[in-house]
Short mmCIF file of all heavy atoms in Angstrom, two decimals:
data_model
loop_
_atom_site.label_atom_id
_atom_site.label_comp_id
_atom_site.label_asym_id
_atom_site.label_seq_id
_atom_site.Cartn_x
_atom_site.Cartn_y
_atom_site.Cartn_z
N ASP A 564 -2.48 -2.01 -38.19
CA ASP A 564 -2.92 -3.35 -38.57
C ASP A 564 -4.03 -3.76 -37.61
O ASP A 564 -4.17 -3.18 -36.53
CB ASP A 564 -1.73 -4.30 -38.48
CG ASP A 564 -2.11 -5.74 -38.69
OD1 ASP A 564 -2.71 -6.05 -39.75
OD2 ASP A 564 -1.84 -6.57 -37.81
N ASP A 566 -5.50 -7.55 -37.02
CA ASP A 566 -5.33 -8.84 -36.34
C ASP A 566 -4.00 -8.90 -35.58
O ASP A 566 -2.94 -8.62 -36.13
CB ASP A 566 -5.38 -9.99 -37.35
CG ASP A 566 -6.73 -10.12 -38.02
OD1 ASP A 566 -7.74 -10.07 -37.29
OD2 ASP A 566 -6.79 -10.25 -39.24
N SER A 581 -8.33 -14.65 -36.18
CA SER A 581 -8.20 -13.49 -37.05
C SER A 581 -9.56 -13.13 -37.61
O SER A 581 -10.51 -13.92 -37.54
CB SER A 581 -7.23 -13.79 -38.18
OG SER A 581 -7.80 -14.76 -39.06
N SER A 582 -9.65 -11.94 -38.21
CA SER A 582 -10.94 -11.51 -38.77
C SER A 582 -11.34 -12.38 -39.96
O SER A 582 -12.52 -12.50 -40.29
CB SER A 582 -10.85 -10.04 -39.19
OG SER A 582 -9.77 -9.83 -40.09
N HIS A 583 -10.35 -12.98 -40.63
CA HIS A 583 -10.65 -13.91 -41.73
C HIS A 583 -10.93 -15.30 -41.17
O HIS A 583 -11.85 -15.98 -41.61
CB HIS A 583 -9.45 -13.97 -42.69
CG HIS A 583 -9.85 -13.76 -44.12
ND1 HIS A 583 -9.02 -13.18 -45.05
CD2 HIS A 583 -10.98 -14.07 -44.80
CE1 HIS A 583 -9.62 -13.12 -46.23
NE2 HIS A 583 -10.81 -13.67 -46.09
N GLY A 584 -10.14 -15.72 -40.19
CA GLY A 584 -10.23 -17.07 -39.67
C GLY A 584 -11.49 -17.36 -38.90
O GLY A 584 -11.90 -18.53 -38.77
N ARG A 597 -12.01 -23.58 -47.71
CA ARG A 597 -11.18 -22.41 -47.41
C ARG A 597 -10.02 -22.78 -46.50
O ARG A 597 -8.91 -22.26 -46.63
CB ARG A 597 -12.03 -21.30 -46.78
CG ARG A 597 -12.97 -20.62 -47.77
CD ARG A 597 -13.67 -19.40 -47.17
NE ARG A 597 -14.61 -19.75 -46.14
CZ ARG A 597 -14.47 -19.48 -44.85
NH1 ARG A 597 -13.40 -18.83 -44.43
NH2 ARG A 597 -15.40 -19.84 -43.97
N LEU A 600 -7.29 -24.29 -48.54
CA LEU A 600 -6.52 -23.25 -49.22
C LEU A 600 -5.49 -22.63 -48.28
O LEU A 600 -4.35 -22.36 -48.67
CB LEU A 600 -7.44 -22.16 -49.76
CG LEU A 600 -8.36 -22.52 -50.94
CD1 LEU A 600 -9.27 -21.34 -51.28
CD2 LEU A 600 -7.53 -22.92 -52.15
N TYR A 601 -5.90 -22.42 -47.04
CA TYR A 601 -4.99 -21.85 -46.05
C TYR A 601 -3.75 -22.73 -45.87
O TYR A 601 -2.61 -22.24 -45.87
CB TYR A 601 -5.72 -21.68 -44.71
CG TYR A 601 -4.81 -21.27 -43.58
CD1 TYR A 601 -4.50 -19.92 -43.37
CD2 TYR A 601 -4.25 -22.21 -42.71
CE1 TYR A 601 -3.66 -19.54 -42.34
CE2 TYR A 601 -3.41 -21.84 -41.69
CZ TYR A 601 -3.12 -20.51 -41.49
OH TYR A 601 -2.28 -20.14 -40.47
N TYR A 603 -2.47 -24.78 -47.85
CA TYR A 603 -1.65 -24.84 -49.06
C TYR A 603 -0.85 -23.54 -49.25
O TYR A 603 0.36 -23.56 -49.50
CB TYR A 603 -2.51 -25.10 -50.29
CG TYR A 603 -1.73 -25.06 -51.60
CD1 TYR A 603 -0.92 -26.13 -51.96
CD2 TYR A 603 -1.77 -23.94 -52.43
CE1 TYR A 603 -0.17 -26.09 -53.14
CE2 TYR A 603 -1.03 -23.90 -53.61
CZ TYR A 603 -0.23 -24.97 -53.95
OH TYR A 603 0.51 -24.93 -55.11
N TYR A 604 -1.54 -22.41 -49.15
CA TYR A 604 -0.92 -21.13 -49.51
C TYR A 604 -0.14 -20.48 -48.36
O TYR A 604 0.81 -19.73 -48.60
CB TYR A 604 -1.97 -20.14 -50.01
CG TYR A 604 -2.44 -20.42 -51.41
CD1 TYR A 604 -3.65 -21.07 -51.64
CD2 TYR A 604 -1.68 -20.02 -52.52
CE1 TYR A 604 -4.11 -21.33 -52.93
CE2 TYR A 604 -2.13 -20.26 -53.81
CZ TYR A 604 -3.33 -20.92 -54.00
OH TYR A 604 -3.77 -21.18 -55.29
N HIS A 605 -0.55 -20.71 -47.12
CA HIS A 605 0.10 -20.02 -46.00
C HIS A 605 1.60 -20.30 -45.93
O HIS A 605 2.40 -19.36 -45.74
CB HIS A 605 -0.58 -20.39 -44.68
CG HIS A 605 -0.07 -19.63 -43.51
ND1 HIS A 605 0.80 -20.16 -42.57
CD2 HIS A 605 -0.30 -18.35 -43.11
CE1 HIS A 605 1.08 -19.25 -41.66
NE2 HIS A 605 0.43 -18.15 -41.95
N PRO A 606 2.07 -21.54 -46.10
CA PRO A 606 3.52 -21.75 -46.12
C PRO A 606 4.21 -21.03 -47.27
O PRO A 606 5.36 -20.59 -47.12
CB PRO A 606 3.64 -23.29 -46.28
CG PRO A 606 2.35 -23.82 -45.79
CD PRO A 606 1.32 -22.81 -46.18
N LEU A 607 3.53 -20.88 -48.40
CA LEU A 607 4.12 -20.19 -49.54
C LEU A 607 4.29 -18.70 -49.24
O LEU A 607 5.24 -18.06 -49.70
CB LEU A 607 3.24 -20.38 -50.78
CG LEU A 607 2.96 -21.83 -51.21
CD1 LEU A 607 2.07 -21.86 -52.44
CD2 LEU A 607 4.27 -22.56 -51.48
N GLU A 608 3.36 -18.16 -48.45
CA GLU A 608 3.42 -16.73 -48.10
C GLU A 608 4.72 -16.40 -47.36
O GLU A 608 5.28 -15.31 -47.53
CB GLU A 608 2.22 -16.36 -47.23
CG GLU A 608 2.19 -14.91 -46.78
CD GLU A 608 1.01 -14.61 -45.88
OE1 GLU A 608 0.22 -15.52 -45.58
OE2 GLU A 608 0.89 -13.44 -45.46
N PHE A 609 5.21 -17.31 -46.56
CA PHE A 609 6.40 -17.05 -45.74
C PHE A 609 7.64 -17.79 -46.24
O PHE A 609 8.66 -17.82 -45.55
CB PHE A 609 6.11 -17.43 -44.28
CG PHE A 609 5.08 -16.54 -43.64
CD1 PHE A 609 3.75 -16.93 -43.59
CD2 PHE A 609 5.43 -15.31 -43.13
CE1 PHE A 609 2.79 -16.11 -43.02
CE2 PHE A 609 4.49 -14.48 -42.56
CZ PHE A 609 3.16 -14.88 -42.50
N LYS A 618 5.48 -14.64 -55.44
CA LYS A 618 4.70 -14.75 -54.21
C LYS A 618 3.47 -13.85 -54.25
O LYS A 618 2.38 -14.23 -53.77
CB LYS A 618 5.59 -14.40 -53.00
CG LYS A 618 4.98 -14.76 -51.66
CD LYS A 618 5.91 -14.41 -50.51
CE LYS A 618 7.11 -15.33 -50.48
NZ LYS A 618 7.90 -15.14 -49.22
N THR A 619 3.61 -12.66 -54.81
CA THR A 619 2.48 -11.74 -54.93
C THR A 619 1.37 -12.35 -55.79
O THR A 619 0.18 -12.25 -55.45
CB THR A 619 2.94 -10.41 -55.55
OG1 THR A 619 3.90 -9.80 -54.68
CG2 THR A 619 1.78 -9.45 -55.74
N LYS A 620 1.75 -13.00 -56.88
CA LYS A 620 0.75 -13.66 -57.74
C LYS A 620 0.05 -14.79 -56.99
O LYS A 620 -1.16 -15.01 -57.14
CB LYS A 620 1.42 -14.19 -59.00
CG LYS A 620 1.89 -13.11 -59.96
CD LYS A 620 2.56 -13.70 -61.19
CE LYS A 620 3.02 -12.62 -62.15
NZ LYS A 620 3.71 -13.18 -63.35
N LEU A 621 0.81 -15.52 -56.17
CA LEU A 621 0.22 -16.59 -55.39
C LEU A 621 -0.77 -16.06 -54.37
O LEU A 621 -1.84 -16.66 -54.14
CB LEU A 621 1.33 -17.38 -54.67
CG LEU A 621 2.19 -18.28 -55.55
CD1 LEU A 621 3.41 -18.79 -54.78
CD2 LEU A 621 1.37 -19.47 -56.07
N MET A 622 -0.45 -14.91 -53.76
CA MET A 622 -1.37 -14.32 -52.79
C MET A 622 -2.64 -13.82 -53.48
O MET A 622 -3.75 -13.98 -52.95
CB MET A 622 -0.69 -13.16 -52.05
CG MET A 622 0.48 -13.60 -51.16
SD MET A 622 0.06 -14.88 -49.93
CE MET A 622 0.70 -16.37 -50.73
N GLU A 623 -2.51 -13.24 -54.66
CA GLU A 623 -3.69 -12.81 -55.43
C GLU A 623 -4.56 -14.02 -55.77
O GLU A 623 -5.80 -13.95 -55.71
CB GLU A 623 -3.24 -12.09 -56.70
CG GLU A 623 -2.60 -10.73 -56.44
CD GLU A 623 -2.00 -10.12 -57.69
OE1 GLU A 623 -1.99 -10.80 -58.74
OE2 GLU A 623 -1.53 -8.97 -57.61
N GLU A 624 -3.91 -15.12 -56.11
CA GLU A 624 -4.61 -16.35 -56.42
C GLU A 624 -5.36 -16.88 -55.20
O GLU A 624 -6.54 -17.29 -55.28
CB GLU A 624 -3.58 -17.37 -56.92
CG GLU A 624 -4.13 -18.68 -57.41
CD GLU A 624 -2.99 -19.58 -57.89
OE1 GLU A 624 -2.45 -19.34 -58.99
OE2 GLU A 624 -2.62 -20.50 -57.13
N TRP A 625 -4.68 -16.88 -54.05
CA TRP A 625 -5.28 -17.38 -52.81
C TRP A 625 -6.51 -16.55 -52.43
O TRP A 625 -7.58 -17.09 -52.16
CB TRP A 625 -4.22 -17.35 -51.71
CG TRP A 625 -4.67 -17.83 -50.37
CD1 TRP A 625 -5.82 -18.51 -50.06
CD2 TRP A 625 -3.96 -17.69 -49.14
NE1 TRP A 625 -5.88 -18.79 -48.72
CE2 TRP A 625 -4.74 -18.32 -48.13
CE3 TRP A 625 -2.73 -17.12 -48.79
CZ2 TRP A 625 -4.34 -18.35 -46.80
CZ3 TRP A 625 -2.32 -17.17 -47.47
CH2 TRP A 625 -3.12 -17.77 -46.46
N TRP A 626 -6.33 -15.24 -52.40
CA TRP A 626 -7.45 -14.37 -52.01
C TRP A 626 -8.62 -14.50 -53.00
O TRP A 626 -9.77 -14.53 -52.60
CB TRP A 626 -6.99 -12.92 -51.92
CG TRP A 626 -6.69 -12.47 -50.51
CD1 TRP A 626 -7.44 -11.62 -49.76
CD2 TRP A 626 -5.58 -12.85 -49.68
NE1 TRP A 626 -6.87 -11.45 -48.52
CE2 TRP A 626 -5.72 -12.19 -48.44
CE3 TRP A 626 -4.48 -13.68 -49.87
CZ2 TRP A 626 -4.82 -12.32 -47.40
CZ3 TRP A 626 -3.57 -13.82 -48.83
CH2 TRP A 626 -3.73 -13.17 -47.60
N GLY A 627 -8.29 -14.59 -54.29
CA GLY A 627 -9.34 -14.72 -55.29
C GLY A 627 -10.15 -15.99 -55.12
O GLY A 627 -11.38 -15.97 -55.19
N LYS A 628 -9.47 -17.11 -54.88
CA LYS A 628 -10.17 -18.37 -54.67
C LYS A 628 -11.00 -18.34 -53.39
O LYS A 628 -12.13 -18.86 -53.36
CB LYS A 628 -9.15 -19.52 -54.60
CG LYS A 628 -8.50 -19.87 -55.91
CD LYS A 628 -7.51 -21.03 -55.73
CE LYS A 628 -6.86 -21.42 -57.06
NZ LYS A 628 -5.88 -22.52 -56.89
N THR A 629 -10.46 -17.72 -52.34
CA THR A 629 -11.20 -17.63 -51.08
C THR A 629 -12.45 -16.82 -51.23
O THR A 629 -13.54 -17.20 -50.77
CB THR A 629 -10.30 -17.03 -49.98
OG1 THR A 629 -9.17 -17.89 -49.76
CG2 THR A 629 -11.06 -16.87 -48.68
N HIS A 630 -12.34 -15.67 -51.89
CA HIS A 630 -13.51 -14.82 -52.10
C HIS A 630 -14.56 -15.52 -52.95
O HIS A 630 -15.77 -15.40 -52.70
CB HIS A 630 -13.10 -13.49 -52.73
CG HIS A 630 -12.33 -12.61 -51.79
ND1 HIS A 630 -11.81 -11.38 -52.16
CD2 HIS A 630 -11.97 -12.77 -50.50
CE1 HIS A 630 -11.18 -10.84 -51.14
NE2 HIS A 630 -11.27 -11.65 -50.11
N ALA A 631 -14.11 -16.27 -53.95
CA ALA A 631 -15.03 -17.01 -54.82
C ALA A 631 -15.80 -18.05 -54.01
O ALA A 631 -17.01 -18.26 -54.23
CB ALA A 631 -14.27 -17.67 -55.97
N LEU A 632 -15.12 -18.72 -53.08
CA LEU A 632 -15.79 -19.72 -52.25
C LEU A 632 -16.84 -19.08 -51.34
O LEU A 632 -17.89 -19.68 -51.08
CB LEU A 632 -14.76 -20.48 -51.41
CG LEU A 632 -13.89 -21.50 -52.15
CD1 LEU A 632 -12.80 -22.06 -51.24
CD2 LEU A 632 -14.74 -22.64 -52.70
N LEU A 633 -16.55 -17.89 -50.85
CA LEU A 633 -17.51 -17.20 -50.00
C LEU A 633 -18.80 -16.89 -50.78
O LEU A 633 -19.91 -17.02 -50.25
CB LEU A 633 -16.91 -15.92 -49.43
CG LEU A 633 -15.76 -16.08 -48.44
CD1 LEU A 633 -15.15 -14.74 -48.08
CD2 LEU A 633 -16.23 -16.81 -47.18
N ILE A 634 -18.62 -16.48 -52.01
CA ILE A 634 -19.79 -16.18 -52.86
C ILE A 634 -20.52 -17.47 -53.23
O ILE A 634 -21.75 -17.59 -53.08
CB ILE A 634 -19.36 -15.42 -54.13
CG1 ILE A 634 -18.76 -14.05 -53.76
CG2 ILE A 634 -20.55 -15.25 -55.08
CD1 ILE A 634 -18.13 -13.33 -54.93
N SER A 676 -6.10 -3.91 -43.40
CA SER A 676 -6.23 -5.34 -43.20
C SER A 676 -6.37 -6.04 -44.54
O SER A 676 -7.06 -5.56 -45.43
CB SER A 676 -7.44 -5.65 -42.32
OG SER A 676 -7.64 -7.04 -42.21
N ALA A 677 -5.72 -7.19 -44.65
CA ALA A 677 -5.92 -8.04 -45.81
C ALA A 677 -7.14 -8.91 -45.64
O ALA A 677 -7.42 -9.76 -46.49
CB ALA A 677 -4.67 -8.90 -46.04
N GLY A 678 -7.86 -8.71 -44.55
CA GLY A 678 -9.06 -9.49 -44.26
C GLY A 678 -10.29 -8.89 -44.92
O GLY A 678 -10.28 -8.48 -46.08
N LEU A 679 -11.36 -8.78 -44.14
CA LEU A 679 -12.65 -8.36 -44.67
C LEU A 679 -13.20 -7.20 -43.85
O LEU A 679 -13.39 -7.32 -42.64
CB LEU A 679 -13.63 -9.53 -44.65
CG LEU A 679 -13.19 -10.74 -45.51
CD1 LEU A 679 -13.97 -11.99 -45.13
CD2 LEU A 679 -13.36 -10.43 -46.99
N ALA A 680 -13.43 -6.08 -44.50
CA ALA A 680 -13.87 -4.87 -43.81
C ALA A 680 -15.17 -5.09 -43.06
O ALA A 680 -15.35 -4.59 -41.94
CB ALA A 680 -14.03 -3.72 -44.82
N VAL A 701 -9.50 0.11 -44.33
CA VAL A 701 -8.93 -0.13 -45.66
C VAL A 701 -8.77 -1.64 -45.78
O VAL A 701 -7.78 -2.21 -45.31
CB VAL A 701 -7.59 0.60 -45.87
CG1 VAL A 701 -7.06 0.36 -47.26
CG2 VAL A 701 -7.75 2.09 -45.61
N SER A 702 -9.75 -2.29 -46.39
CA SER A 702 -9.76 -3.74 -46.46
C SER A 702 -10.70 -4.18 -47.57
O SER A 702 -11.28 -3.34 -48.27
CB SER A 702 -10.21 -4.33 -45.11
OG SER A 702 -10.04 -5.73 -45.08
N ASN A 703 -10.84 -5.47 -47.75
CA ASN A 703 -11.73 -6.01 -48.78
C ASN A 703 -13.18 -5.87 -48.32
O ASN A 703 -13.54 -6.36 -47.24
CB ASN A 703 -11.39 -7.48 -49.04
CG ASN A 703 -9.97 -7.64 -49.54
OD1 ASN A 703 -9.63 -7.22 -50.65
ND2 ASN A 703 -9.12 -8.24 -48.72
N ARG A 704 -13.98 -5.21 -49.14
CA ARG A 704 -15.36 -4.94 -48.74
C ARG A 704 -16.34 -5.72 -49.61
O ARG A 704 -16.21 -5.82 -50.82
CB ARG A 704 -15.66 -3.44 -48.84
CG ARG A 704 -17.02 -3.06 -48.27
CD ARG A 704 -17.16 -1.55 -48.17
NE ARG A 704 -16.24 -0.98 -47.19
CZ ARG A 704 -16.48 -0.97 -45.88
NH1 ARG A 704 -17.60 -1.49 -45.41
NH2 ARG A 704 -15.61 -0.42 -45.07
N MET A 705 -17.35 -6.26 -48.95
CA MET A 705 -18.33 -7.11 -49.61
C MET A 705 -19.53 -6.31 -50.11
O MET A 705 -19.85 -5.24 -49.58
CB MET A 705 -18.83 -8.19 -48.64
CG MET A 705 -17.76 -9.10 -48.09
SD MET A 705 -18.42 -10.20 -46.80
CE MET A 705 -17.02 -11.26 -46.50
N LEU A 713 -24.06 -12.47 -50.04
CA LEU A 713 -22.88 -11.93 -50.70
C LEU A 713 -22.93 -12.21 -52.20
O LEU A 713 -23.15 -13.34 -52.63
CB LEU A 713 -21.63 -12.57 -50.09
CG LEU A 713 -20.29 -12.22 -50.75
CD1 LEU A 713 -19.99 -10.72 -50.58
CD2 LEU A 713 -19.16 -13.05 -50.14
N PHE A 716 -17.33 -8.44 -54.49
CA PHE A 716 -16.45 -7.62 -53.67
C PHE A 716 -16.19 -6.29 -54.38
O PHE A 716 -16.13 -6.25 -55.61
CB PHE A 716 -15.13 -8.34 -53.40
CG PHE A 716 -15.23 -9.44 -52.41
CD1 PHE A 716 -15.71 -10.69 -52.79
CD2 PHE A 716 -14.87 -9.24 -51.09
CE1 PHE A 716 -15.80 -11.72 -51.87
CE2 PHE A 716 -14.97 -10.26 -50.17
CZ PHE A 716 -15.44 -11.51 -50.56
N LYS A 717 -16.03 -5.24 -53.60
CA LYS A 717 -15.74 -3.91 -54.16
C LYS A 717 -14.25 -3.73 -54.40
O LYS A 717 -13.42 -4.14 -53.60
CB LYS A 717 -16.19 -2.81 -53.18
CG LYS A 717 -17.62 -2.37 -53.31
CD LYS A 717 -17.84 -1.15 -52.42
CE LYS A 717 -19.24 -0.60 -52.57
NZ LYS A 717 -19.41 0.62 -51.74
N GLY A 718 -13.93 -3.05 -55.50
CA GLY A 718 -12.55 -2.64 -55.74
C GLY A 718 -11.62 -3.81 -55.99
O GLY A 718 -12.03 -4.96 -56.15
N LYS A 719 -10.33 -3.49 -56.03
CA LYS A 719 -9.31 -4.50 -56.24
C LYS A 719 -9.00 -5.22 -54.94
O LYS A 719 -9.22 -4.69 -53.86
CB LYS A 719 -8.03 -3.87 -56.81
CG LYS A 719 -8.23 -3.27 -58.20
CD LYS A 719 -6.92 -2.71 -58.73
CE LYS A 719 -7.11 -2.11 -60.12
NZ LYS A 719 -5.83 -1.55 -60.65
N THR A 720 -8.47 -6.41 -55.05
CA THR A 720 -8.19 -7.23 -53.87
C THR A 720 -7.00 -6.69 -53.09
O THR A 720 -5.96 -6.36 -53.65
CB THR A 720 -7.89 -8.68 -54.30
OG1 THR A 720 -9.01 -9.19 -55.03
CG2 THR A 720 -7.63 -9.55 -53.09
N ILE A 721 -7.16 -6.61 -51.78
CA ILE A 721 -6.08 -6.24 -50.87
C ILE A 721 -5.64 -7.52 -50.16
O ILE A 721 -6.41 -8.14 -49.44
CB ILE A 721 -6.54 -5.18 -49.84
CG1 ILE A 721 -6.98 -3.90 -50.55
CG2 ILE A 721 -5.42 -4.88 -48.85
CD1 ILE A 721 -7.57 -2.86 -49.64
N HIS A 722 -4.40 -7.92 -50.41
CA HIS A 722 -3.88 -9.13 -49.80
C HIS A 722 -2.68 -8.80 -48.91
O HIS A 722 -2.32 -7.62 -48.74
CB HIS A 722 -3.53 -10.18 -50.86
CG HIS A 722 -2.57 -9.70 -51.91
ND1 HIS A 722 -1.22 -9.55 -51.68
CD2 HIS A 722 -2.79 -9.32 -53.21
CE1 HIS A 722 -0.64 -9.12 -52.78
NE2 HIS A 722 -1.57 -8.96 -53.73
N SER A 723 -2.05 -9.82 -48.37
CA SER A 723 -1.01 -9.61 -47.36
C SER A 723 0.22 -8.91 -47.89
O SER A 723 0.98 -8.31 -47.12
CB SER A 723 -0.60 -10.96 -46.75
OG SER A 723 -0.13 -11.84 -47.76
N LEU A 724 0.45 -8.94 -49.20
CA LEU A 724 1.67 -8.35 -49.75
C LEU A 724 1.46 -6.99 -50.42
O LEU A 724 2.40 -6.40 -50.92
CB LEU A 724 2.33 -9.32 -50.74
CG LEU A 724 2.79 -10.65 -50.15
CD1 LEU A 724 3.52 -11.47 -51.20
CD2 LEU A 724 3.68 -10.43 -48.93
N ASN A 725 0.22 -6.51 -50.46
CA ASN A 725 0.00 -5.15 -50.98
C ASN A 725 -0.76 -4.29 -49.98
O ASN A 725 -1.37 -3.29 -50.33
CB ASN A 725 -0.72 -5.17 -52.34
CG ASN A 725 -2.17 -5.61 -52.23
OD1 ASN A 725 -2.63 -6.02 -51.17
ND2 ASN A 725 -2.89 -5.54 -53.33
N LYS A 726 -0.72 -4.72 -48.71
CA LYS A 726 -1.46 -4.03 -47.67
C LYS A 726 -0.65 -2.82 -47.18
O LYS A 726 -0.04 -2.82 -46.14
CB LYS A 726 -1.72 -4.99 -46.49
CG LYS A 726 -2.61 -4.45 -45.42
CD LYS A 726 -2.65 -5.38 -44.24
CE LYS A 726 -1.31 -5.43 -43.53
NZ LYS A 726 -1.35 -6.24 -42.28
N MET A 733 -6.68 1.70 -54.20
CA MET A 733 -7.27 0.47 -54.71
C MET A 733 -8.59 0.15 -54.02
O MET A 733 -9.46 -0.48 -54.60
CB MET A 733 -6.31 -0.70 -54.48
CG MET A 733 -4.97 -0.59 -55.17
SD MET A 733 -3.83 -1.82 -54.51
CE MET A 733 -4.80 -3.32 -54.69
#
Side-chain angles (χ1 to χ4, degrees):
D564 173 56
D566 295 314
S581 68
S582 55
H583 231 149
R597 288 188 292 112
L600 290 177
Y601 172 84
Y603 175 76
Y604 284 100
H605 186 257
L607 303 179
E608 179 182 1
F609 293 96
K618 192 179 289 190
T619 298
K620 291 180 180 178
L621 288 169
M622 294 304 101
E623 291 172 355
E624 186 179 284
W625 180 13
W626 261 252
K628 289 180 179 179
T629 298
H630 290 178
L632 286 173
L633 292 174
I634 296 171
S676 175
L679 299 163
V701 182
S702 188
N703 299 292
R704 187 170 294 278
M705 301 173 173
L713 175 64
F716 286 81
K717 272 188 176 183
K719 295 182 180 180
T720 302
I721 299 174
H722 55 76
S723 58
L724 298 184
N725 69 353
K726 187 188 68 174
M733 299 167 52

